[in-house]
Amino acid sequence: MTPTAFPQRILLGVTGGIAAYKSAELVRRLRDAGAEVQVVMTDAATAFITPMTLQALSGRPVRSGLMDPQAEAAMGHIELARWAECILIAPASADFLARLAHGLANDLLSTLCLASEAPLFLAPAMNRVMWQHPATRANCALLASRGATLLGPAEGGQACGETGLGRMLEPNDLVRALATPPIRADLRGLTVLITAGPTREPLDPVRFLTNRSSGKMGYAVAHAAQAAGARVILVSGPVHLDPPPGVTCLRVERAEEMRAAVMAQVDGADVFIATAAVADYRPAAQATGKIKKTDGALSLILEPTPDILAEVAALPQRPFTVGFAAETERMAEYAEDKRRRKNLDLIAANRVDDRGMGFDSDDNALTVFWEGGSQALPRQPKTRLAVALVELIAEHLHRSRAAPDQP
Ligand code: C5P
């Protein structure tokens, strides 16, 4: 088996909470997994665990002050932000999540988070009422929408004597979450064209129709296809995500623009994966000036947008074509019907009414259908789900190329 990939340089942020005592064990486990660990503590964290302990375990001086001339003379905070291959904040207190959500940079750790482009993992730990508070919920949702990955919290007994959601995940669980499984798919020499995100269909110069798609699934699929060795072209609607390094990203807004970008690229593509939540309808006419408010009701006339996926699947020299289906009911039946109607090789279906799954969330579950078969991919983070999906696509692609007449 291929060894599991693990980040080599981890910046571990420790903030003020009783779970900070677990950070000592976490440093050991991260080092056991082969990573260099640089600990950065907030002032509050030093009241729960000493820098000396974490320094001894990490083998590197612990950093905490933003204005420390000695530390800045060695590896300054910007260099440290660049050094990190990933940032893990464990425990992440409610206060720290709030500061992060608002982009504050009033201590070294928050500054580093703002100054780094490395993936950010947050392991919240707090009292269950603080965790459920709408302010914390909103901060977490905002951070997740910007690409941060929330790990936990877990449910169980808390230091405050209560029981509920708010415990920091155990060090071993955190180490497992940072490891990305190696991809068992070979797409070297192939081009994969992917659509992702929502589209925006303008009503007038300031308003548009859109949907809740975050683009996370499509971007994760792009990342996985690239990890499998493919050349990846991502045609993306407006999202708050950075494309994976090395992926060609073409940004569009309207369905018509997405269609044009896809049609311009599809000739050289071996695989087309349509993860985008393309608007099905657009205003029949776009007002040139802002539509004025009146007392009466306003009727909009909508017309269908081009079905990009169906158009690609109908090409005489078409790539291996994969669609998505977001359904709120009778998932298998509707997805299979869509696969046949649009003439797709595979369709990946998900239910969008389950709590915490589907649109704009980090987790998802899919059932993939093809002619004569299906496979369920269980609930997991979208990054992992994308790996499983790309493995399945590669398997079917290679099978169809080996025996072109077989389904
Ligand atoms: O028909 P429905 O919109 O449910 O189909 C969903 C699938 O079709 C997704 O893969 C989506 O990316 C694709 N699609 C498209 N162009 C459209 C509508 C949907 O490519 N106008």
Side-chain angles (χ1 to χ4, degrees):
M1 211 178 113
T2 343
T4 303
F6 201 78
Q8 298 295 296
R9 298 179 310 278
I10 299 175
L11 196 150
L12 174 64
V14 181
T15 73
I18 184 60
Y21 80 91
K22 291 189 195 171
S23 307
E25 176 71 11
L26 179 58
V27 172
R28 295 198 63 162
R29 298 282 83 91
L30 292 172
R31 293 198 68 191
D32 287 349
E36 281 181 72
V37 180
Q38 170 67 57
V39 178
V40 177
M41 301 175 79
T42 60
D43 278 348
T46 61
F48 291 91
I49 183 167
T50 70
M52 186 73 85
T53 305
L54 297 178
Q55 175 162 322
L57 292 169
S58 66
R60 303 170 75 99
V62 167
R63 302 279 295 269
S64 59
L66 183 56
M67 305 297 174
D68 179 345
Q70 220 175 350
E72 284 298 308
M75 179 150 53
H77 67 275
I78 296 294
E79 282 165 86
L80 198 52
R82 289 193 190 127
W83 171 89
E85 200 180 319
C86 86
I87 300 181
L88 168 63
I89 312 290
S93 65
D95 174 72
F96 193 75
L97 293 173
R99 287 198 281 135
L100 215 50
H102 290 277
L104 296 193
N106 52 358
D107 65 4
L108 179 63
L109 189 55
S110 54
T111 303
L112 287 170
C113 291
L114 211 56
S116 176
E117 289 175 334
L120 178 62
F121 296 85
L122 304 167
M126 66 198 72
N127 161 272
R128 66 172 183 90
V129 183
M130 292 169 81
W131 173 249
Q132 296 297 355
H133 195 284
T136 309
R137 310 264 24 86
N139 291 334
C140 288
L142 188 58
L143 290 165
S145 75
R146 292 185 194 141
T149 304
L150 284 148
L151 306 172
E155 201 159 2
Q158 301 202 294
C160 52
E162 298 192 20
T163 302
L165 264 179
R167 283 170 62 91
M168 186 170 97
L169 290 191
E170 295 305 321
N172 278 336
D173 295 329
L174 292 174
V175 171
R176 252 196 303 277
L178 292 195
T180 40
I183 183 155
R184 289 179 303 253
D186 187 357
L187 296 176
R188 279 174 297 179
L190 301 180
T191 298
V192 177
L193 178 62
I194 300 169
T195 63
T199 63
R200 280 182 185 168
E201 308 302 330
L203 283 159
D204 68 16
V206 293
R207 303 185 181 95
F208 49 77
L209 299 179
T210 190
N211 58 63
R212 290 184 186 280
S213 169
S214 64
K216 283 179 191 162
M217 192 65 215
Y219 277 60
V221 170
H223 191 270
Q226 202 203 27
R231 171 176 167 252
V232 179
I233 304 170
L234 182 62
V235 180
S236 174
V239 296
H240 301 283
L241 300 173
D242 291 324
V247 164
T248 305
C249 184
L250 308 172
R251 300 214 182 251
V252 296
E253 291 223 342
R254 294 178 293 119
E256 195 55 62
E257 291 168 359
M258 185 172 274
R259 177 191 167 274
V262 165
M263 291 305 159
Q265 300 293 333
V266 75
D267 252 1
D270 300 280
V271 180
F272 176 59
I273 310 174
T275 71
V278 185
D280 289 326
Y281 294 93
R282 64 186 170 204
Q286 185 190 338
T288 46
K290 186 179 167 205
I291 299 170
K292 285 281 172 223
K293 188 162 83 175
T294 59
D295 287 341
L298 174 72
S299 298
L300 291 175
I301 299 183
L302 303 178
E303 63 181 16
T305 54
D307 192 320
I308 306 165
L309 178 61
E311 201 171 326
V312 168
L315 290 171
Q317 294 284 318
R318 63 172 212 162
F320 187 89
T321 307
V322 183
F324 269 68
E327 307 291 351
T328 50
E329 55 187 332
R330 291 157 73 184
M331 185 185 81
E333 186 186 329
Y334 287 162
E336 189 49 16
D337 174 63
K338 200 168 289 178
R339 188 188 68 77
R340 283 169 189 270
R341 243 184 325 109
K342 296 200 190 191
N343 188 29
L344 309 177
D345 294 290
L346 295 181
I347 194 159
N350 63 316
R351 283 184 71 98
V352 287
D353 59 349
D354 291 355
R355 278 184 57 207
M357 290 219 283
F359 280 146
D360 205 15
S361 79
D362 291 317
D363 281 8
N364 205 0
L366 293 172
T367 306
V368 185
F369 297 88
W370 57 90
E371 186 65 45
S374 69
Q375 184 174 328
L377 303 176
R379 179 177 180 155
Q380 54 198 307
K382 285 179 176 172
T383 45
R384 280 163 191 266
L385 191 62
V387 168
L389 178 65
V390 168
E391 286 174 349
L392 198 61
I393 291 172
E395 190 188 315
H396 281 264
L397 169 73
H398 294 314
R399 203 181 293 164
S400 74
R401 289 192 163 187
D405 295 333
Q406 303 296 310

